[in-house]
């Protein structure tokens, strides 16, 4: 069966820059994506950390077109496409496949809670059948803390049995290592991406595919380096270093904190904008964050060059 | 300030009939809406029980147009319009206002959890400003069990202070009578709809506006009668009777159970269809439900006449 290769390594759920009217600043996003790709990160645009669920399907299609139009390599893209309504998921997924994205990251429908595995199986089936394209590669998105709809081992098993060519991996953002380990053991070849680089070394040692992590927006080169060189000496120390940085961000509202850091290191305050219901960091939070980063001697190299001429 | 009158009484979050390809059967929905209105129920189309979050904005706009095109009175409509993404909420809300709907029922953006009242205030503000229509009347939708995003008393207070003409009421589906009572006490004139008829008499006695309840799809005439005649003798007995019926449905997955009942009493099995991630009742569940309804001597009068000729 021909089609995109299975994805691996580190992907960034790229944060989304907004104009003053809260529309997406696609030019700025393209430059940020280039900066990330130059640091060996793939593009999980439209992730949770992209505020993707605050964008309409039309907006997301326009953004994908802008990224492709700018010549970014769609083989390195895994856009998030899962919505509450199947027609929305199908529309965005079809568009991503048409543009040549190697995969899509798919939340289950997440409004109705307490739904059965049978219902979720039917939801994914319906999407796969309606998209109807042999190039479709789905990475399931397990994030029960936000979606409220867990993807169980039983559901994965059933999807793998029915759609072995289409359902090829998962991003596990539960933070539950036991669950990640169980998937790696039970489903060999299934591409398991951890939802945080805090368990990246562990993930690579256990045969995982890599990680798709918020803070890959902040620390992409180091995280990608560990994913590539996890068997080399010094891996443990690298893991510890990146954990220190991660901890600083995790103590704050994560998305606004990452945007504040990118605003600071790029010298472009417009990066601080978020869409409601999110709120930017307070002045005190921001000062605290930047102080912590300075103590660590951390900076985002090359970011200031991403500013528009 | 001119504009729609404040809504009151009983509204049904109308269940949505689907064709074999899962598209909305608008003809059947129109007939169901007529049946409900003939029983003094308003139309809270696109509620949770309408599987509205499984429909795209385009589908919902088409359905609204079909209802208006069929001559249904938009003054009796309170469509649900709240989505995760502000552009979606704005688009559907604007359309509802343009069609003359007396109100809209608005979920907060519900993907991101643990958001602040400030963020939710900004989200509602943004919608109100973008819709920019003096006829807009918002009924907030508090359903923390499904949305994961509660609407606090503090948020309501702030919205009422800033948008007294636009933010006029709430549907409280939390089931927490203490919260409903607190709103009635603290915000006189704010139209509080209980999310279940189980507390309808209590709600009316405490000065509430009425109820918007799933089972108003099943038992509309009796519920509307109690809302209209809560001060008349026999109200307690009426309340107890409707509670018995409600209890039967609440013991099952509510939406599929209501659809099974409507399918049975209308003689139209197509009503049983749900969109994934929901699943229709099992044969055993359905037999149990119909058996319970028979024991109660319950039937849905006039429903079989809603079938297409």
């Amino acid at each position: 069966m021909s089609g995109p290769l299975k994805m691996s390594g580190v992907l960034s759920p790229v944060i989304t820059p907004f104009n003053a009217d809260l529309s997406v600043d696609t030019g700025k996003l393209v430059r940020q994506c280039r900066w990330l790709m130059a640091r060996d990160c793939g593009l999980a645009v439209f992730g949770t950390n992209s505020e993707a669920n605050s964008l309409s399907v039309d907006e997301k299609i326009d953004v994908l077109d802008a990224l492709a139009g700018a010549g970014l390599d769609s083989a390195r893209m895994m856009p998030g496409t899962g919505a509450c309504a199947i027609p929305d998921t199908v529309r965005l997924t079809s568009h991503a496949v048409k543009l040549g994205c190697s995969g899509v990251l798919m939340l289950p429908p997440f409004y109705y809670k307490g739904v059965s595995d049978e219902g979720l199986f039917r939801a994914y089936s319906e999407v796969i059948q309606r998209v109807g394209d042999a190039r479709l590669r789905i990475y399931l998105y397990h994030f029960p803390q936000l979606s409220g709809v867990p993807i169980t081992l039983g559901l994965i098993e059933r999807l793998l049995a029915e759609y072995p060519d289409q359902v090829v991996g998962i991003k596990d953002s539960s933070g539950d290592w036991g669950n990640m380990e169980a998937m790696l053991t039970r489903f060999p070849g299934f591409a398991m991406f951890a939802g945080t680089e805090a368990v990246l070394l562990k993930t690579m040692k256990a045969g995982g595919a890599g990680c798709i992590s918020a803070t890959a927006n902040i620390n992409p080169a180091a995280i990608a380096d560990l994913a590539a060189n996890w068997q080399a000496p010094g891996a443990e120390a690298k893991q510890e270093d990146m954990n220190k940085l991660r901890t600083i961000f995790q103590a704050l509202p994560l998305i606004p904190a990452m945007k504040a850091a990118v605003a600071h290191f790029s010298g472009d305050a417009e990066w601080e904008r978020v869409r409601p219901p999110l709120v930017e960091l307070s002045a005190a939070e921001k000062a605290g964050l930047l102080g912590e980063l300075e103590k660590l001697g951390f900076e985002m190299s090359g970011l200031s060059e991403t500013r528009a001429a």
Side-chain angles (χ1 to χ4, degrees), chain A:
Chain A
M1 168 132 214
S2 75
L5 291 176
K6 211 166 269 193
M7 301 182 84
S8 63
V10 177
L11 290 96
S12 168
V14 192
I15 52 174
T16 304
F18 295 118
N19 294 305
D21 65 358
L22 296 183
S23 61
V24 178
D25 185 338
T26 49
K28 193 177 290 181
L29 180 60
V30 165
R31 295 191 295 276
Q32 194 69 9
C33 287
R34 287 214 177 96
W35 182 83
L36 289 163
M37 289 182 80
R39 281 147 190 84
D40 284 331
C41 276
L43 306 174
V45 293
F46 311 148
T48 296
N49 291 287
S50 315
E51 298 170 74
N53 296 100
S54 300
L55 304 179
S56 70
V57 174
D58 285 333
E59 289 180 305
K60 285 184 258 202
I61 285 177
D62 287 348
V63 167
L64 269 193
D65 285 341
L67 298 183
L72 292 175
D73 182 7
S74 56
R76 298 278 283 140
M77 292 186 202
M78 187 198 287
T81 63
C84 288
I86 287 174
D88 287 338
T89 303
V90 169
R91 220 175 121 223
L92 185 55
T93 302
S94 295
H95 200 78
V97 172
K98 204 161 51 185
L99 290 180
C101 296
S102 287
V104 296
L105 186 58
M106 201 180 286
L107 278 168
F110 55 82
Y111 179 70
Y112 295 98
K113 306 300 191 294
V115 295
S116 63
D117 278 0
E118 169 67 22
L120 293 174
F121 177 81
R122 289 189 197 179
Y124 280 111
S125 286
E126 191 74 24
V127 170
I128 292 167
Q129 286 164 30
R130 289 197 197 183
V131 172
D133 192 312
R135 296 169 298 171
L136 171 63
R137 296 292 178 275
I138 295 175
Y139 296 80
L140 306 169
Y141 191 0
H142 177 56
F143 197 173
Q145 291 90 334
L146 282 200
S147 70
V149 179
I151 292 174
T152 66
L153 298 175
L155 174 61
I156 298 169
E157 187 158 57
R158 209 171 145 196
L159 286 168
L160 286 177
E162 188 82 15
Y163 303 107
D165 298 318
Q166 257 70 59
V167 178
V168 297
I170 194 162
K171 175 187 178 189
D172 185 338
S173 291
S174 68
D176 175 358
W177 176 252
N179 191 59
M180 299 183 224
E181 209 169 25
M183 291 189 290
L184 289 168
T185 310
R186 194 151 150 188
F187 310 120
F190 190 58
M192 200 290 282
F193 288 88
T196 166
E197 77 273 24
V199 294
L200 180 55
L201 186 52
K202 224 158 140 177
T203 299
M204 300 313 290
K205 285 181 178 173
C211 74
I212 304 172
S213 173
T215 31
N217 278 292
I218 302 298
N219 200 19
I223 303 174
D225 170 56
L226 180 58
N229 301 299
W230 62 274
Q231 288 169 304
E236 297 286 355
K238 286 177 183 173
Q239 177 73 71
E240 279 168 35
D241 277 351
M242 69 183 61
N243 289 359
K244 276 179 212 152
L245 188 71
R246 167 107 189 162
T247 304
I248 292 172
F249 282 90
Q250 272 192 318
L252 290 163
L254 190 52
I255 299 169
M258 294 193 297
K259 286 191 146 179
V262 170
H264 175 74
F265 288 112
S266 67
D268 177 359
E270 302 214 351
W271 263 113
E272 289 182 19
R273 273 189 209 112
V274 290
R275 268 197 190 181
L278 301 189
V279 172
E280 66 285 346
L281 292 193
S282 68
E285 286 172 322
K286 190 163 79 169
L289 169 66
L290 298 178
E292 291 289 330
L293 296 180
E294 209 181 328
K295 263 194 265 172
L296 213 61
F298 177 79
E299 55 186 39
M300 295 176 73
S301 66
L303 198 60
S304 59
E305 292 145 38
T306 63
R307 291 190 64 176

